């Protein structure tokens, strides 16, 4: 590994997952699918779905409070809140504003970012840069999605894939003990927006038009997304290793975005990483988009798989297309 100035570190993490579970068997009663098809093609068994009245900011605030407890920090100490989401409470203001109010982070500036499944790692790059430049001290990043509200529950090709969740991290100044954000990488290819999108509700398909043209839900070309995800996640993983000088042997844990077990396996193969060092929980939550990586981080830590001093490489891919990676020593 190369010696490089480390500016920021992750000092607390937490996640929130709705209690209600939707199994593959439940889905087989709703659309023409089977447990076997879903499990073989995606690795998923269950996903969690919020109750009707729960908003993104409710789930986000729950995860944020857990991350604050983990960091032993108060909400007043947070100066920047970034919510990565494509399923915010309302079109505006930002969901981060509602989260600020719910957790009482009265000293923070709060804004959202939209980078789909890569959102948490885009947020980590922003937090690291803000802290490195001295513009921020303690940043709260949340990845949260309530995709169940924008899924077409009649479309078997998409409705089986997604779940609701939130994950959060507190990023603060590094304390020169070797821990910290070792590198971040983000990338976009805006030529491929229409392979994975939720078109309704913006200027192109305002609410009423979207309703009449069935444009309010997620639209996806699954196979094209799959191929792009395999290439881009592998590229992002290789890029972060080159940038930081970390070798695959030095990685203690690889956390790929949990979209599909076959994409996860392909990313591991690209780095020649044994699956024992690759975190997988797609079977329990489905694809939770921006929440996927902070949720996996939290669970890996709770299970003792991610330990103090470990080098963790995280890799994501999502609509846009966007892709991203980061290397962090915990
Ligand atoms: N149950 C049963 N059959 C299904 C289902 C289902 N839920 N969904 C699709 N099928 C059928 C199709 O209709 C098709 O039938 P046909 O051959 O008669 O036309 C057949 O299964 C094969 O369909 P494909 O789309 O070719 O199946 P594939 O093996 O590519 O798997 C999947 C589909 C799981 C969506 C895969 O393409 C995928 O995971 N893509 C990536 C999508 C993704 O992860 N998107 C999330 C956001 S981006 C990200 O997070 C990475």
């Amino acid at each position: 590994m190369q010696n490089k100035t480390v500016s920021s570190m992750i000092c607390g993490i937490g996640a929130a997952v709705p209690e209600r579970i939707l199994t593959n068997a439940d889905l087989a009663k709703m659309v023409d699918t089977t447990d076997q098809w879903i499990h073989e093609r995606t690795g998923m068994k269950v996903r969690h779905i919020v109750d009707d009245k729960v908003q993104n900011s409710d789930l986000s605030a729950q995860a944020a409070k857990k991350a604050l407890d983990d960091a032993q920090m108060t909400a007043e100490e947070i100066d920047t809140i970034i919510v990565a989401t494509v399923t915010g409470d309302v079109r505006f203001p930002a969901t981060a504003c509602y989260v600020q109010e719910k957790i009482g982070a009265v000293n923070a500036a709060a804004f959202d970012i939209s980078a789909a499944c890569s959102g948490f790692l885009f947020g980590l790059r922003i937090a690291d840069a803000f802290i490195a430049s001295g513009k921020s001290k303690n940043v709260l990043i949340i990845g949260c999605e309530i995709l169940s509200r924008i899924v077409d529950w009649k479309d078997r090709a998409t409705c089986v894939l997604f779940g609701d969740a939130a994950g959060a991290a507190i990023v603060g100044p590094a304390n020169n003990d070797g821990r910290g954000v070792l590198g971040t990488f983000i990338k976009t290819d805006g030529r491929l927006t229409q392979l994975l999108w939720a078109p309704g509700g913006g200027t192109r398909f305002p609410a009423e038009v979207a309703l009449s043209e069935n444009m309010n839900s997620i639209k996806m070309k699954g196979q094209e997304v799959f191929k792009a995800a395999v290439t881009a996640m592998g590229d992002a993983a290789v890029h972060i290793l080159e940038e930081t000088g970390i070798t695959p042997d030095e990685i203690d844990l690889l956390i790929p975005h949990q979209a599909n077990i076959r994409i996860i396996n392909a990313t591991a193969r690209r780095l020649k990483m044994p699956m024992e060092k690759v975190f997988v929980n797609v079977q329990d939550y489905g694809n939770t988009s921006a929440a996927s990586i902070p949720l996996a981080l939290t669970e890996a830590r709770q299970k003792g798989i991610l330990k103090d001093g470990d080098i963790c490489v995280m890799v994501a891919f999502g609509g846009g297309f966007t892709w991203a990676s980061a290397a962090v020593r915990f």
Side-chain angles (χ1 to χ4, degrees), residues 4-9 128 174-176 178-182:
K4 167 182 165 290
T5 313
V6 174
S7 306
S8 72
M9 64 186 279
D128 182 48
N175 58 9
N176 300 319
R179 289 182 296 159
V181 177
L182 307 173

Side-chain angles (χ1 to χ4, degrees), residues 16 27 32 84 97-98 136 142 144-145 153 169 188 235 239 243 252 263-265 269 287 299 309-310 312 318 323 326:
L27 283 160
D32 182 14
C97 303
Y98 295 98
S136 292
I142 302 164
C144 179
E145 303 292 4
W153 288 105
T188 299
D235 288 351
H239 183 100
E243 189 185 301
D252 297 295
I263 299 174
I264 294 171
N265 289 341
R269 274 199 302 274
N287 180 349
E299 202 170 273
D310 279 356
C312 175
W323 58 103

Side-chain angles (χ1 to χ4, degrees), residues 31 47 56 116 145 156 163 188 208 235 255 297 318 330:
V31 287
R47 64 290 293 143
N56 182 313
E145 303 292 4
R156 68 176 182 176
T188 299
E208 274 182 35
D235 288 351
I255 298 191
L297 270 177
F330 277 83

Side-chain angles (χ1 to χ4, degrees), residues 1 24 44 102 112 151 207 258:
M1 197 193 332
N24 290 350
M44 295 169 194
K102 284 179 183 170
D112 289 358
V151 152
Q258 306 286 311

Side-chain angles (χ1 to χ4, degrees), residues 179-199:
R179 289 182 296 159
V181 177
L182 307 173
T184 60
F185 165 74
I186 60 174
K187 193 83 197 290
T188 299
D189 188 342
R191 292 169 298 182
L192 303 171
T193 47
Q194 294 185 20
L195 294 180
L196 175 57
W197 62 329

